[in-house]
């Protein structure tokens, strides 16, 4: 029990390797209790998710579920719901949105049957977030239900997380003032709770909204601050996403060399962690740079490659691809006219 609690404290402090060490000790001491072992394996998978070892994290969630396959106690059901909800969470982090939504729906059923409100709240949050990415801002009921549950559970950390997603919902819907309020509330809640590592992502969302509103000076300051926060807390995903946003900002400002300098490292990092959508977003920046330099045929070739891979969960990239293609084709037409 002591090692388990120590792992939780270390994880909240961003000491992920030390947290894994504590879990190793806990697993060595838990004996043959399948439910206790599955709970610890779930915690280990969560740590792997936090450090972007997504495939290893999914394996742990599956391992935990296999341990509980023949267990019928209420405690086993609660643990199974946690494992399923976290599997949905991890798939969402991998941009496997359809899969994440399907797993979240399964986790909702398991959580309701087991009376696990925390797992139910996580499943609702993932389903609402996946729906937002796949369908657009049509229905925020799942997110609002998740927020209500987290408030009743007194989980300030996850309240902040859902508020961040509600901010994204409002931003996509064009409700800029409400979006900023949700995102700032999420970031500040994490910082007040001493959870600086989790504050990284709502801070990124807020910076992205400033960028989309073309408030470039404020956006750049916000992005740089967020990258520093991510580095200080060893959140590599936050650094990568911050630098991708910074590259997009530099492209918008025609600072092509600065934008180009950021791309090789972040594309390699996204590729290594299986984040296909982010890889393609990085290549879209590269296509924009190529077009801005006047190499319109090169830009179209890059866009053809991106379009060929933008399938399944990645249809939302299609409008951006179409816009960049139109810009490149327009450039080619002007060159033809000049000749």
């Amino acid at each position: 029990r002591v090692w388990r609690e120590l792992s939780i404290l270390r994880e909240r402090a961003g000491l992920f390797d030390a947290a894994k060490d504590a879990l190793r000790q806990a697993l060595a001491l838990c004996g043959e209790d399948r439910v206790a072992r599955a709970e610890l394996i779930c915690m280990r998978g969560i740590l792997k998710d936090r450090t972007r070892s997504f495939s290893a994290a999914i394996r742990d969630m599956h391992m935990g579920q296999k341990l509980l396959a023949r267990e019928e106690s209420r405690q086993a059901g609660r643990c199974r719901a946690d494992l399923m909800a976290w599997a949905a969470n991890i798939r969402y982090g991998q941009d496997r949105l359809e899969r994440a939504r399907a797993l979240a729906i399964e986790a909702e059923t398991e959580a309701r049957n087991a009376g696990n409100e925390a797992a139910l709240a996580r499943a609702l949050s993932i389903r609402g977030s996946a729906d937002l990415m796949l369908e657009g801002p049509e229905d925020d009921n799942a997110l609002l239900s998740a927020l209500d549950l987290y408030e009743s559970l007194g989980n300030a950390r996850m309240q902040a997380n859902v508020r961040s997603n509600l901010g994204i919902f409002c931003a996509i819907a064009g409700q800029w003032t409400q979006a900023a309020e949700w995102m700032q509330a999420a970031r500040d809640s994490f910082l007040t709770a001493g959870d600086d590592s989790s504050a990284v992502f709502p801070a990124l969302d807020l910076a992205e909204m400033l960028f989309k509103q073309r408030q470039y000076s404020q956006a750049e300051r916000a992005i740089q601050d967020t990258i520093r926060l991510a580095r200080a807390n060893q959140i590599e995903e936050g650094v990568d996403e911050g630098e991708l946003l910074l590259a997009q900002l530099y492209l918008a400002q025609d600072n092509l060399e600065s934008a180009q300098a950021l791309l090789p490292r972040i594309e390699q990092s996204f590729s290594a962690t299986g984040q296909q959508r982010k890889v393609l977003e990085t290549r879209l920046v590269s296509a924009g740079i190529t077009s801005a330099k006047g190499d319109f045929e090169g830009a179209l070739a890059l866009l053809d490659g991106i379009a060929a891979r933008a399938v399944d969960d990645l249809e939302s990239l299609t409008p951006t691809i179409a816009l960049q293609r139109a810009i490149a084709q327009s450039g080619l037409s002007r060159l033809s006219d000049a000749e």
Side-chain angles (χ1 to χ4, degrees), residues 156-196:
R157 186 183 189 188
M158 288 307 299
Q159 288 174 45
N161 186 67
V162 177
R163 288 189 178 104
S164 178
N165 288 334
L166 284 164
I168 296 170
F169 184 99
C170 291
I172 294 174
Q175 300 164 356
W176 301 112
T177 301
Q178 287 176 276
E181 289 172 356
W182 281 119
M183 291 171 182
Q184 190 161 340
R187 182 197 63 188
D188 293 348
S189 293
F190 281 129
L191 292 173
T192 300
D195 189 357
D196 289 7

Side-chain angles (χ1 to χ4, degrees), residues 300-316:
L300 287 169
L302 283 169
L303 291 167
D304 286 341
I306 294 167
R309 296 186 61 185
V311 295
D312 300 329
D313 297 341
L314 305 176
E315 297 95 336
S316 57

Side-chain angles (χ1 to χ4, degrees), residues 91-99 101 130 132-135 270 274-284 303 305-322:
R91 289 306 191 194
Y92 182 82
Q94 290 180 300
D95 295 319
R96 298 277 301 279
L97 302 181
E98 293 280 9
R99 183 61 179 150
R101 180 164 62 181
L132 174 60
M133 295 296 106
L134 290 167
E135 312 293 345
F270 286 137
Q275 293 177 277
Q276 184 184 6
R277 180 190 177 86
K278 295 299 179 183
V279 170
L280 298 185
E281 286 182 17
T282 304
R283 291 179 183 173
L284 277 169
L303 291 167
I306 294 167
R309 296 186 61 185
V311 295
D312 300 329
D313 297 341
L314 305 176
E315 297 95 336
S316 57
L317 293 177
T318 302
T320 306
I321 295 169

